[in-house]
């Protein structure tokens, strides 16, 4: 097969694998980011590169110690154990998840540390350079792409349950593709119902224009993009 060429152990193949890993991770992350879902491009790039580092290290161990089959057991324990450490940095605030990139960075950092510890320093350095470059440059790519997306995530405050039905009905009438629709009930008197929804706006309409149309619905107190 054509892809067998990239399985050979050479620095050109190592570089190609790292680059392809970063590109694929970015594509997956941007696709999720466009739909306003958790795990953006920086998170997916970090995880994808970390996984690539693990497999490169495994092949390096095989090349360096062809007769040893148990040398990667400790590394496997570190990789799985650090996953729990990274999970501690993930926070859920309302309907937003924060800390995914931090958790992925901790895990990838452990993978890079294992590579350095076994002597695969060149590969660790190359991957780290691509990792840092990708994490810092990808937000500029995301900003350009997100300007043209028709997906929106908005927070709507409404007076009562009837207004919730009205908002839902309006989205259906406009043929919006609703991805998520959450409703938070008021915890005290005087507070409003809150709707957090992610949907695709109708073709031919601008985001601000459609946001204003939702704000004009009866019973809607406010509607803001988040």
């Amino acid at each position: 097969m054509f892809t067998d060429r990239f399985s050979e152990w050479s620095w050109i193949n190592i570089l190609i694998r790292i680059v392809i890993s970063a590109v694929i991770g970015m594509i997956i992350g941007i696709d999720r980011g466009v739909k306003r879902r958790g795990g953006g491009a920086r998170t997916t790039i970090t995880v994808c590169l970390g996984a690539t580092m693990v497999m490169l290290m495994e092949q390096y161990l095989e090349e360096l110690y062809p007769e040893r089959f148990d040398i990667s057991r400790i590394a496997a324990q570190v990789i799985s154990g650090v996953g729990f450490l990274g999970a501690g940095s993930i926070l859920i605030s309302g309907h937003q998840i924060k800390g995914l990139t931090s958790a992925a960075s901790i895990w990838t950092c452990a993978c890079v540390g294992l590579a350095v510890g076994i002597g695969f320093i060149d590969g660790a350095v190359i991957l780290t350079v691509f990792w840092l470059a990708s994490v810092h440059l990808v937000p500029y790519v995301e900003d350009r792409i997100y300007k043209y997306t028709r997906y929106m995530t908005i927070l709507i405050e409404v007076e009562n349950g009837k207004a919730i039905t009205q908002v839902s009905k309006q989205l259906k009438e406009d043929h919006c593709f609703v991805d998520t629709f959450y409703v938070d009930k008021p915890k005290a008197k005087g507070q409003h119902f809150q709707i957090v929804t992610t949907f695709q706006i109708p073709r031919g309409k601008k985001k601000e224009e459609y946001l204003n149309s939702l704000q004009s619905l009866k019973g809607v107190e406010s509607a803001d993009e988040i």
Side-chain angles (χ1 to χ4, degrees):
M1 293 176 63
F2 173 74
T3 52
D4 289 343
R5 300 179 184 178
F6 302 115
S7 300
E8 298 176 0
W9 185 254
S10 68
W11 285 112
I12 295 297
N13 284 344
I14 290 173
L15 185 60
I16 290 173
R17 293 183 212 176
I18 292 174
V19 172
I20 292 176
S21 176
V23 172
I24 291 175
M26 181 178 67
I27 292 172
I28 294 172
I30 289 177
D31 177 68
R32 292 187 60 79
V34 163
K35 298 175 182 177
R36 298 296 190 269
R37 290 177 174 266
R42 289 183 297 177
T43 301
T44 51
I45 286 174
T46 302
V47 173
C48 203
L49 285 175
T52 300
M53 183 79 266
V54 171
M55 295 311 298
L56 287 173
M57 186 174 60
E58 286 289 334
Q59 190 172 2
Y60 177 79
L61 290 173
E62 187 178 341
E63 293 286 334
L64 195 63
Y65 307 106
E67 297 180 358
R68 295 289 299 273
F69 297 100
D70 60 342
I71 197 168
S72 61
R73 289 183 181 179
I74 295 178
Q77 296 298 321
V78 172
I79 292 168
S80 60
V82 171
F84 290 97
L85 179 64
S89 64
I90 300 175
L91 301 173
I92 300 177
S93 177
H95 295 286
Q96 294 183 331
I97 301 175
K98 300 179 180 179
L100 284 175
T101 302
S102 298
S105 298
I106 292 171
W107 183 76
T108 299
C109 188
C111 298
V112 172
L114 289 171
V116 173
I118 200 63
F120 187 36
I121 297 176
D122 294 345
V125 170
I126 293 172
L127 187 134
T128 302
V129 170
F130 272 92
W131 173 22
L132 294 176
S134 300
V135 169
H136 286 87
L137 293 177
V138 96
Y140 298 101
V141 178
E142 287 180 315
D143 289 340
R144 290 181 176 274
I145 293 176
Y146 293 166
K147 288 180 181 179
Y148 301 100
T149 179
R150 292 190 293 118
Y151 276 92
M152 292 181 69
T153 298
I154 60 175
L155 172 63
I156 307 173
E157 290 192 356
V158 298
E159 295 178 352
N160 47 45
K162 291 183 179 180
I164 297 173
T165 304
Q166 184 65 27
V167 171
S168 178
K169 182 180 178 181
Q170 188 64 47
L171 293 174
K172 290 181 180 179
E173 289 179 353
D174 293 335
H175 303 289
C176 295
F177 174 75
V178 179
D179 191 46
T180 58
F181 193 93
Y182 300 106
V183 177
D184 284 338
K185 296 181 179 180
K187 298 179 180 179
K189 291 184 178 180
Q191 294 181 342
H192 299 108
F193 286 86
Q194 289 187 337
I195 302 171
V196 177
T197 178
T198 300
F199 61 94
Q200 197 174 34
I201 64 174
R203 292 186 179 276
K205 288 193 176 183
K206 296 181 179 179
K207 290 183 178 181
E208 294 182 1
E209 176 186 339
Y210 195 71
L211 193 62
N212 292 333
S213 69
L214 292 177
Q215 287 177 334
S216 64
L217 294 175
K218 185 178 180 180
V220 175
E221 293 291 326
S222 64
D224 300 296
E225 187 174 6
I226 57 176

